Amino acid sequence: MLFNSLAFFLFLPLVFTLYWGVFGRSLRWQNGFIVAASYLFYGWWEWRFLILIAITSAVAYLSGLGLAWRRHRGWVVASVVINVGILGFFKYFDFFQGQVVELLRLLGFQAHGWSLAVLLPVGISFYTFQSLSYTLDVWRGTLKPTRAPVAFFAFVSFFPQLVAGPIERAENLLPQFLAPRRFDYAEAVVGCRQMLWGFFKKVAVADLCAGLANRLLRDPGEMSSVSLAAGLFCFTFQIYGDFSGYSDIAIGCGRLFGIRLSRNFRAPYFSRDIAEFWRRWHISLTTWFRDYLYIPLGGSRCGRWQAIRNTFIVFLVSGLWHGANWTFLAWGAFHACCFLPLLLRGTNRRYLGPVAEGRWLPSVREAWQMGCTFALAALGWLFFRAATLSEAWAWLQKLFLGFDFSLEPLRRIGYWRVFPAVGLLLLCEWVNRTEAFGCARYPRWRPLRWLCYLALVAFTFFWLSPPQVFIYFQF
């Protein structure tokens, strides 16, 4: 079920009403209803996917009970093998068997591959990582295993963040399903405002940019250098508006049910270097890899070559997490190369606070740093957007060696339409760069406040752009 669909706009009020009006007096019934609603939400695409999420949840829950009964590594190994095995089978089998076949052919062997041709379960990477973090935290002793199966299944399947995050840790989300919840009107109002902001980013920014990017990022032979750069600019804001918009809708929706989800974005395009960008972009995934992969490998507190190895491993695995394609690995390698100079100079944690703190405007130096970091991130998205490495290489050649500055493709598609929406996005996020989301601050004078709300609604629901599926559903 898509957030930006009529079905969801009917589903959410009904679930909200039943959750508080019918099941609000019993924690067990509340959690049971959340599981049922979440399974309906997830099964809306394909009911057979419910088997996978049920298996993933059951394996993680039973491994926790097993560790409570007897602390043995076998429980962790079984949980990791089963859950990662399911993820790998559906997401990577076709890719890796295809690469093996190609390698055998290069070596002179006759090999014929076969494809499963199965539909990738929506959000499988998200709920798999969420379940794994529970097992690993119980094994480490930082979390006590729960004996409440309904609450645990609600933790894994909570529908607002089920298919595209944030990837929640059990230490944050699970206790909220174990404690009584009461309706909080102020929280619900903030949640609605954050959902409105998320819909604005998705519909008015991401969907508009998607249409323009699709028309500009075509055959390199048909594009000018300027139109390619413009298409890349559109995709840069498409993926941000799409993914961070989903996160805002999910977090705001969670507030309606008395659940506080983790922040997943913190104005990443205002970063002053790539290290800061990764502290602000997809925070739940970045911290997951940091805590469960980078630090166990030794992090940066080891020899220089080990630190370089660890950095490349994390970024390459992060790229592979996004999809079974060499372009995602190239995207991860690109960011690793951008990150390494900061790591080796010891400046990767130089910018921990907000830019221009206590000031309305950035300094010239900060503006230059943000511009350079934005350009690097946008260049990285070129690999993310390309279908193949050869296409990415053709785009790079056109971008840096083409020297074709024709503006005709931009005039033909009405490129100017991107600037009002992107400009409003950047303005709101700059003003609210120290807040939880882009319209967290609002005018106290009620007429002006409602005027701002109406402006967002107008941009969201009346800005002409065809609806698009959320990008991160494919991951």
Side-chain angles (χ1 to χ4, degrees), residues 92-370:
Y92 303 108
F93 179 85
D94 285 350
F95 173 73
F96 282 114
Q97 69 90 21
Q99 301 309 307
V100 171
V101 168
E102 288 299 320
L103 178 60
L104 291 174
R105 287 176 179 171
L106 288 174
L107 295 175
F109 296 97
Q110 287 294 109
H112 301 280
W114 55 279
S115 174
L116 292 176
V118 294
L119 185 65
L120 179 67
V122 175
I124 188 171
S125 299
F126 290 89
Y127 65 74
T128 298
F129 271 36
Q130 190 157 309
S131 300
L132 284 175
S133 68
Y134 168 79
T135 303
L136 295 172
D137 285 345
V138 172
W139 168 251
R140 290 174 169 182
T142 59
L143 183 71
K144 292 184 178 179
T146 181
R147 298 182 182 275
V150 177
F152 185 83
F153 273 64
F155 151 69
V156 176
S157 65
F158 187 45
F159 74 88
Q161 49 85 223
L162 174 59
V163 296
I167 302 172
E168 287 293 338
R169 305 289 182 87
E171 62 183 3
N172 171 55
L173 185 54
L174 184 54
Q176 297 186 64
F177 286 110
L178 296 172
R181 300 181 290 279
R182 297 290 180 265
F183 178 70
D184 187 325
Y185 175 78
E187 270 292 288
V189 170
V190 174
C192 289
R193 193 160 63 244
Q194 188 163 5
M195 289 182 70
L196 176 59
W197 180 245
F199 279 115
F200 165 76
K201 288 200 286 187
K202 167 58 180 170
V203 178
V205 177
D207 288 354
L208 172 64
C209 288
L212 296 173
N214 290 338
R215 296 179 66 180
L216 290 168
L217 298 176
R218 298 180 299 178
D219 181 4
E222 300 178 6
M223 298 183 296
S224 68
S225 301
V226 173
S227 62
L228 175 57
L232 195 56
F233 176 86
C234 285
F235 181 71
T236 297
F237 281 99
Q238 176 197 350
I239 194 168
Y240 174 62
D242 188 282
F243 192 20
S244 67
Y246 183 97
S247 294
D248 279 325
I249 297 170
I251 295 169
C253 186
R255 288 176 182 266
L256 297 180
F257 297 91
I259 300 295
R260 300 295 297 269
L261 299 175
S262 303
R263 188 173 182 181
N264 211 20
F265 290 85
R266 190 174 280 110
Y269 289 155
F270 296 144
S271 302
R272 287 154 287 187
D273 59 33
I274 285 295
E276 185 182 14
F277 173 83
W278 279 104
R279 284 192 293 274
R280 294 173 174 271
W281 178 276
H282 201 174
I283 299 169
S284 61
L285 180 67
T286 302
T287 54
W288 199 99
F289 279 124
R290 179 197 67 194
D291 295 341
Y292 298 109
L293 183 59
Y294 186 68
I295 292 177
L297 287 172
S300 58
R301 300 182 182 276
C302 53
R304 173 173 295 188
W305 290 110
Q306 287 84 355
I308 293 173
R309 177 204 64 187
N310 298 343
T311 299
F312 268 94
I313 288 175
V314 167
F315 277 105
L316 290 175
V317 172
S318 176
L320 193 61
W321 179 90
H322 284 85
N325 196 320
W326 289 108
T327 55
F328 292 118
L329 288 171
W331 173 74
F334 172 82
H335 275 279
C337 292
C338 294
F339 184 87
L340 272 181
L342 302 174
L343 177 67
L344 296 177
R345 292 201 306 265
T347 58
N348 56 301
R349 297 188 62 80
R350 176 169 48 183
Y351 300 117
L352 300 178
V355 63
E357 190 169 10
R359 292 178 280 120
W360 277 104
L361 296 174
S363 65
V364 174
R365 183 170 184 266
E366 288 171 330
W368 170 256
Q369 289 173 321
M370 286 190 294

